[in-house]
Amino acid sequence: SNFFTYSSTKRGILDLLHAYFEVQFTPVLKDVWPWHQSVEVYDVVFSARPGTRIGRIYLDMVSRPKKLLEASQFALRAGVEGAQVPEVVLMANIPESGPIPHSQVAHMFHQFGHAMHHILGGQHQKYVAFSGVATAPDFVEAPAYACEEWASDKQGLEKITKDPFTGQPMPDELMDKLIAMNKFGGSYRACQETFLAQLALDLHGARPPAVRK
């Protein structure tokens, strides 16, 4: 875990999201009043339309006393076309300095997946009820888990890992071991999810009667 810190992971995630979704994250340093001095605020804009804000992210990620321990995402405001842009809060309890475990890295990716879902899904929306993360419960986690895959992928690890002494990314050999460790048991988990999906189809009658045998 010496290769992971909050600052390097945050910077790497923002760089990956910038490249993948063609958006930019601009720190908001004035005319904003977050609930704690450690909260960071970023405006999100499309790279092709600089100056046009499409959303705002509040990062309340740093540890402090009496804070919610579980990493969470809260929709602060839903996007409504012509009225308001989506705003989202990401909350975690991560040390601001020093190494952090890979599990917290994965949580950060997961929550940023929720944030991008809320912001990009909040564009061109007419109704709050269908904006951003206001989706079917069995889908709302899909973008977050897709983003979390970067935490166990070389492309993602090269962006976020940093040797505290040399500043270099994690060596390939160690990276391969980390990826293999996180993939262990993947077939079992896939079978489990397939079983649950099949069970849901049987219980709720989504399949035609002729197929239910």
Side-chain angles (χ1 to χ4, degrees):
S1 64
N2 287 339
F3 286 92
F4 302 112
T5 64
Y6 169 68
S7 59
S8 65
T9 301
K10 179 190 69 175
R11 185 69 263 161
I13 291 175
L14 293 178
D15 287 346
L16 284 165
L17 296 176
H18 161 68
Y20 192 81
F21 292 109
E22 298 184 345
V23 295
Q24 296 177 345
F25 301 90
T26 306
V28 181
L29 304 176
K30 60 180 182 179
D31 297 328
V32 63
W33 300 270
W35 49 95
H36 192 269
Q37 61 184 8
S38 65
V39 177
E40 302 171 90
V41 185
Y42 290 87
D43 277 345
V44 186
V45 300
F46 281 125
S47 300
R49 292 186 295 168
T52 304
R53 184 164 66 99
I54 63 168
R56 176 169 286 182
I57 299 176
Y58 291 81
L59 288 185
D60 188 358
M61 309 292 277
V62 177
S63 300
R64 63 175 181 269
K66 299 181 180 180
K67 187 181 180 184
L68 180 70
L69 293 177
E70 185 179 355
S72 304
Q73 170 268 329
F74 304 97
L76 191 62
R77 176 180 289 176
V80 178
E81 190 169 24
Q84 60 190 34
V85 298
E87 298 187 6
V88 63
V89 177
L90 301 186
M91 185 174 289
N93 222 332
I94 301 173
E96 189 172 12
S97 59
I100 63 175
H102 183 259
S103 59
Q104 287 189 322
V105 172
H107 288 156
M108 286 182 66
F109 272 105
H110 187 97
Q111 300 309 324
F112 269 100
H114 280 308
M116 296 310 300
H117 179 194
H118 186 66
I119 289 172
L120 297 178
Q123 308 301 308
H124 312 298
Q125 295 289 351
K126 186 177 180 180
Y127 302 106
V128 168
F130 304 110
S131 182
V133 292
T135 64
D138 59 350
F139 175 78
V140 73
E141 293 292 334
Y145 277 112
C147 191
E148 189 179 325
E149 288 295 310
W150 265 321
S152 299
D153 178 84
K154 267 197 172 181
Q155 181 187 15
L157 291 171
E158 287 172 352
K159 282 284 188 181
I160 65 174
T161 57
K162 188 175 182 181
D163 188 290
F165 301 106
T166 66
Q168 295 299 309
M170 180 183 289
D172 285 345
E173 183 181 0
L174 187 56
M175 202 177 291
D176 290 339
K177 289 181 179 179
L178 177 63
I179 292 170
M181 180 187 72
N182 284 289
K183 285 185 176 180
F184 181 78
S187 298
Y188 169 76
R189 292 191 294 272
C191 288
Q192 184 180 37
E193 292 300 318
T194 303
F195 164 74
L196 293 173
Q198 187 72 61
L199 180 63
L201 288 171
D202 286 338
L203 291 176
H204 298 288
R207 296 187 300 156
V211 183
R212 269 187 258 146
K213 294 182 180 178

